[in-house]
C-alpha cells in the first residue's frame, strides 16, 4: 500500500516510547487466525523473529515503515489530530507488547492494522461516553489528509460526483461526509475504498464475516452518497 503523503505533517509520530504503559492489547489484536494467507516470505519471517527477540533496531525499522500509514488510517477513523497522535503511538506500544503472539497467519501489516482499528473503536466509545465530539477536527482532516494521496478507490470512483464539480472541492466534501458516517460503516469504507484492502483483509482486520464486510461497505457507500448529495444540494448521478 502506498504511503500517504498527506499524513507526513507535524502530527505523525516520529518515535515510540516502548516503556510507556497502555494496558492490555485490544481484543483479538494479536489473534488473526480466521483469515490465513500465504506463508510469510523469508525476509519478513526473519524480521518478525527479530521483533520477537525484542531487537530494538528492528522495532525502530517497523515504526519507520508503518508510522505514517498507521497515522493516516487512525486520523481518518477518529477525525481528530490530537486523538490520532495518541492512538497511533499506542498502536506501536501494543505491537511491541504483543508481537510474540503474532502467529504469521496474515501479513504483518494486517495484524498491525487490526490493532489500530481496535484501538480506534475503543477510543471512539470512550469519546462518545464523554460527549467529546469525536469529529471536531474533520474540516482540518479534509485539508491535511487528502484521499487522493491514498492508494485505492478515489472519490469519483465511490459515487461519480466528478460530473458535477472539480476534484479538490468535492474531495473536501466527501471527506467531511465520511467523518459523519456511522463508525462501523466509516471503518469498512475507509479500509476498502481508501486503504484499498481486499474483502479478505478487511475481514481479518475487523474480525467480521466476509458477508458482513460486503454489506457494511455497500451500506457505507449508500450513506456517503446521501450525505454528499445533501451537502452539495444536488443529486449525484451514476455511481455504485
Amino acid at each position: 500500500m502506498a504511503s500517504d503523503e498527506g499524513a507526513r505533517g507535524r502530527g505523525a509520530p516520529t518515535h515510540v516510547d516502548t516503556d510507556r504503559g497502555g494496558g492490555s492489547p485490544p481484543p483479538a489484536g494479536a489473534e488473526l487466525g480466521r483469515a490465513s494467507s500465504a506463508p510469510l516470505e523469508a525476509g519478513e519471517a526473519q524480521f518478525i523473529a527479530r521483533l520477537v527477540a525484542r531487537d530494538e533496531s528492528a522495532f525502530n525499522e517497523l515504526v519507520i515503515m508503518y508510522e505514517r500509514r498507521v497515522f493516516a488510517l487512525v486520523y481518518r477513523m477518529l477525525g481528530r489530530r490530537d486523538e490520532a497522535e495518541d492512538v497511533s503511538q499506542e498502536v506501536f506500544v501494543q505491537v511491541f507488547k504483543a508481537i510474540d503472539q503474532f502467529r504469521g497467519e496474515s501479513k504483518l501489516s494486517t495484524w498491525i492494522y487490526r490493532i489500530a482499528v481496535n484501538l480506534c473503536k475503543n477510543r471512539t466509545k470512550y469519546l462518545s461516553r464523554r460527549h467529546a465530539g469525536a469529529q471536531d477536527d474533520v474540516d482540518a482532516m479534509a485539508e491535511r489528509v487528502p484521499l487522493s494521496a491514498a492508494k485505492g478507490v478515489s472519490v469519483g470512483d465511490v459515487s461519480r460526483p466528478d460530473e458535477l464539480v472539480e476534484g479538490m472541492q468535492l474531495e473536501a466534501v466527501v471527506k467531511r461526509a465520511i467523518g459523519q458516517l456511522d463508525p462501523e460503516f466509516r471503518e469498512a469504507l475507509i479500509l476498502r475504498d481508501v486503504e484499498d484492502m481486499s474483502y479478505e483483509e478487511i475481514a481479518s482486520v475487523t474480525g467480521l464475516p466476509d458477508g458482513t464486510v460486503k454489506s457494511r461497505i455497500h451500506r457505507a457507500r449508500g450513506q456517503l452518497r446521501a450525505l454528499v448529495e445533501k451537502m452539495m444540494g444536488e443529486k449525484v448521478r451514476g455511481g455504485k
Side-chain angles (χ1 to χ4, degrees):
M1 182 165 53
S3 62
D4 193 324
E5 297 293 337
R8 294 187 181 186
R10 292 185 297 273
T14 57
H15 71 281
V16 174
D17 179 0
T18 54
D19 293 327
R20 196 183 107 184
S24 58
E31 300 291 336
L32 290 180
R34 67 174 303 281
S36 297
S37 59
L40 294 176
E41 296 181 0
E44 183 167 274
Q46 292 172 2
F47 181 65
I48 291 169
R50 291 171 60 203
L51 293 171
V52 172
R54 297 296 191 256
D55 182 329
E56 184 175 350
S57 65
F59 187 72
N60 289 337
E61 291 173 29
L62 180 79
V63 173
I64 291 170
M65 283 190 290
Y66 288 104
E67 63 178 344
R68 301 192 189 283
R69 284 177 279 179
V70 167
F71 178 78
L73 172 63
V74 172
Y75 196 3
R76 291 189 182 100
M77 293 280 291
L78 297 177
R80 288 180 54 170
R81 178 167 291 273
D82 56 343
E83 295 294 342
E85 289 170 355
D86 290 343
V87 172
S88 294
Q89 185 159 108
E90 185 63 21
V91 169
F92 291 102
V93 172
Q94 297 297 347
V95 168
F96 182 80
K97 289 181 175 181
I99 188 63
D100 57 352
Q101 299 175 43
F102 177 62
R103 299 196 302 267
E105 295 177 348
S106 72
K107 294 186 293 187
L108 179 61
S109 60
T110 302
W111 182 73
I112 292 171
Y113 290 142
R114 183 166 192 176
I115 291 177
V117 166
N118 283 334
L119 285 174
C120 285
K121 288 178 179 178
N122 292 342
R123 192 62 182 171
T124 297
K125 290 177 183 177
Y126 171 78
L127 291 171
S128 177
R129 287 195 299 268
R130 293 195 57 182
H131 306 287
Q135 296 303 316
D136 287 348
D137 201 28
V138 166
D139 288 343
M141 177 182 66
E143 297 298 326
R144 298 174 185 172
V145 189
L147 289 175
S148 57
K151 177 179 178 181
V153 178
S154 69
V155 171
D157 291 323
V158 172
S159 55
R160 304 306 305 172
D162 50 301
E163 296 177 9
L164 303 177
V165 296
E166 294 190 2
M168 294 303 294
Q169 178 185 357
L170 176 64
E171 192 164 313
V173 170
V174 171
K175 286 192 290 292
R176 285 193 292 272
I178 288 175
Q180 295 179 28
L181 295 175
D182 294 338
E184 66 269 25
F185 299 139
R186 180 170 67 245
E187 168 190 286
L189 184 75
I190 289 171
L191 293 176
R192 176 62 178 171
D193 287 347
V194 179
E195 298 298 331
D196 197 30
M197 290 187 182
S198 68
Y199 292 118
E200 181 182 20
E201 286 176 313
I202 297 171
S204 183
V205 165
T206 61
L208 296 170
D210 291 351
T212 302
V213 167
K214 293 177 181 179
S215 174
R216 287 191 179 184
I217 292 169
H218 176 75
R219 294 181 65 183
R221 288 171 175 163
Q223 284 191 7
L224 178 62
R225 181 185 178 88
L227 285 167
V228 170
E229 289 173 352
K230 181 179 179 180
M231 288 179 180
M232 296 178 62
E234 299 182 58
K235 288 292 182 181
V236 177
R237 300 185 299 275
K240 297 182 180 181

